[in-house]
Amino acid sequence: MNNWNSTAALAPGHIDIHAHLLPEDCYDIPAVDGVRSLTERDGELYLGEFPIAVTRDQISGVPRILADMDAEDIAVRVVSAPPYAFAVTAEPDAAGDYARRVNEGLMRMCEKHPDRLIPIGVLPVQDRSATVEEVKRLVAEGVRGVAVPPVVGSLTLGDPELSHVLDSCADAGLAVLVHPTQQPRPGFNHHYLQNLIGNPVESATAIASILLGGTFDRTPALRIAFVHGAGVAPALLGRWDHGWHMRGDVSADSTRPPSETFRNHVYADSLAHSVEAGELLCKTVHPERITLGSDYPFDMADAHPVRSATALGLDQEVLRTNALRWLNLT
């Protein structure tokens, strides 16, 4: 078993819960139509024909991430596979095999630096039994959490058909990081709108389905964090509350208004991209559930996350304590 189970060995200082690494031997990703591969062109990586705006060194280089952490005063990073490595369209057997390989690779990459890098796994979410098996394996290896998509095909994370994902994580005590996958949507064909609008909408969709679906009534111990400042959810909570009070079909599966459950249960990282959005985030998320997040090393990352958190008046020790609580390392 690897040892990511103690705070004693962790470097003191900021903990960034939202950063990415991918083992080089996991560049061939199973998909519904075969395999989608990361390839290198002129020093930049492409997923098929899509430029992902990172280099091999950034997404797969442990020395590089450590050096970049030092430059930004980040002591510890929780690292997860990038969202295109969730393999959500693959056949269950292929997804399960790929998840195991990604998780084993991430553990290998981090095992020499347990004071600086904490890996969290991926799951074959499209298959109930495979998800449960991988959760058990990660727990046995001492892994603290998993990263999962907010939307899988036509299903949202809070839908009954995906209840096995959050239920198995809650039962096992694993932290959950929800990261959008930039799914194609009508009208998002140009100007990177799949990311600029699609990603925060994906996150909010999952949050709404979890709050309104009564997930926290069923699994109150679930520790779940949403990246990118919880997407557009903070701006929509009032609308969701209004619908909950006015319509029986909205409130049918939950016992409390969405904003109340959101504040009492949901973690979010600090990556809001503006002071105004960050201030709204701080008003809607409980102070004990805001964590530092960067989205390293992607183009939509905050290059100076500590500086941005400081501008919002967020305290280093509070952010660190919140991250440790989410990881169940307090």
Side-chain angles (χ1 to χ4, degrees):
M1 176 188 287
N2 296 290
N3 183 17
W4 292 288
N5 291 303
S6 171
T7 60
L10 288 181
H14 277 294
I15 299 176
D16 173 10
I17 74 160
H18 178 193
H20 301 288
L21 280 177
L22 184 67
E24 287 195 44
D25 60 0
C26 295
Y27 279 17
D28 293 326
I29 304 162
V32 65
D33 53 355
V35 174
R36 301 179 70 201
S37 296
L38 281 178
T39 57
E40 197 168 16
R41 305 182 198 172
D42 300 321
E44 182 179 346
L45 289 177
Y46 283 69
L47 183 61
E49 296 301 313
F50 182 76
I52 61 171
V54 298
T55 65
R56 182 184 295 265
D57 187 40
Q58 288 174 310
I59 198 64
S60 301
V62 171
R64 174 64 181 271
I65 192 173
L66 292 173
D68 290 345
M69 287 165 63
D70 290 339
E72 290 301 321
D73 192 29
I74 294 171
V76 180
R77 264 187 166 142
V78 178
V79 292
S80 55
Y84 46 77
F86 291 159
V88 293
T89 67
E91 293 297 321
D93 287 348
D97 175 70
Y98 183 70
R100 285 189 293 275
R101 290 192 290 113
V102 168
N103 295 338
E104 288 168 358
L106 280 176
M107 286 186 279
R108 285 196 307 271
M109 294 174 80
C110 298
E111 64 185 358
K112 293 182 180 179
H113 306 278
D115 59 328
R116 306 292 309 275
L117 299 174
I118 300 175
I120 59 175
V122 296
L123 298 174
V125 295
Q126 57 268 64
D127 184 78
R128 182 180 297 270
S129 61
T131 292
V132 172
E133 272 309 302
E134 192 60 19
V135 164
K136 291 178 180 177
R137 206 176 67 83
L138 290 171
V139 170
E141 291 286 353
V143 174
R144 307 304 306 172
V146 295
V148 301
V151 178
V152 181
S154 62
L155 299 174
T156 302
L157 195 55
D159 289 347
E161 296 87 345
L162 290 177
S163 63
H164 59 279
V165 178
L166 298 185
D167 287 359
S168 60
C169 291
D171 290 344
L174 292 178
V176 179
L177 185 78
V178 183
H179 197 295
T181 57
Q182 203 164 308
Q183 290 198 350
R185 290 172 182 257
F188 288 2
N189 301 321
H190 303 291
H191 305 111
Y192 207 31
L193 294 186
Q194 287 183 16
N195 182 296
L196 300 182
I197 299 176
N199 274 7
V201 167
E202 282 186 39
S203 294
T205 302
I207 293 169
S209 73
I210 288 168
L211 300 179
L212 296 173
T215 297
F216 290 111
D217 293 329
R218 189 178 69 249
T219 56
L222 176 66
R223 304 187 315 281
I224 188 168
F226 292 85
V227 299
H228 307 140
V232 293
L236 294 175
L237 286 169
R239 184 176 181 86
W240 298 347
D241 276 1
H242 181 82
W244 191 89
H245 286 292
M246 296 300 295
R247 294 183 58 95
D249 56 343
V250 175
S251 61
D253 297 321
S254 54
T255 60
R256 296 182 181 276
S259 62
E260 184 178 333
T261 307
F262 182 85
R263 187 168 179 82
N264 289 338
H265 289 280
V266 169
Y267 286 79
D269 77 8
S270 56
L271 181 54
H273 288 298
S274 75
V275 171
E276 292 80 6
E279 289 173 343
L280 177 59
L281 177 70
C282 292
K283 290 177 180 177
T284 53
V285 176
H286 195 285
E288 292 184 353
R289 293 184 178 84
I290 298 177
T291 62
L292 187 72
S294 69
D295 200 17
Y296 177 93
F298 290 110
D299 50 4
M300 292 304 293
D302 186 338
H304 309 292
V306 173
R307 188 186 307 172
S308 297
T310 301
L312 289 172
L314 297 172
D315 179 77
Q316 172 181 302
E317 285 305 314
V318 173
L319 291 170
R320 179 184 174 92
T321 299
N322 293 349
L324 293 174
R325 185 188 307 107
W326 172 68
L327 289 165
N328 198 26
L329 282 172
T330 52

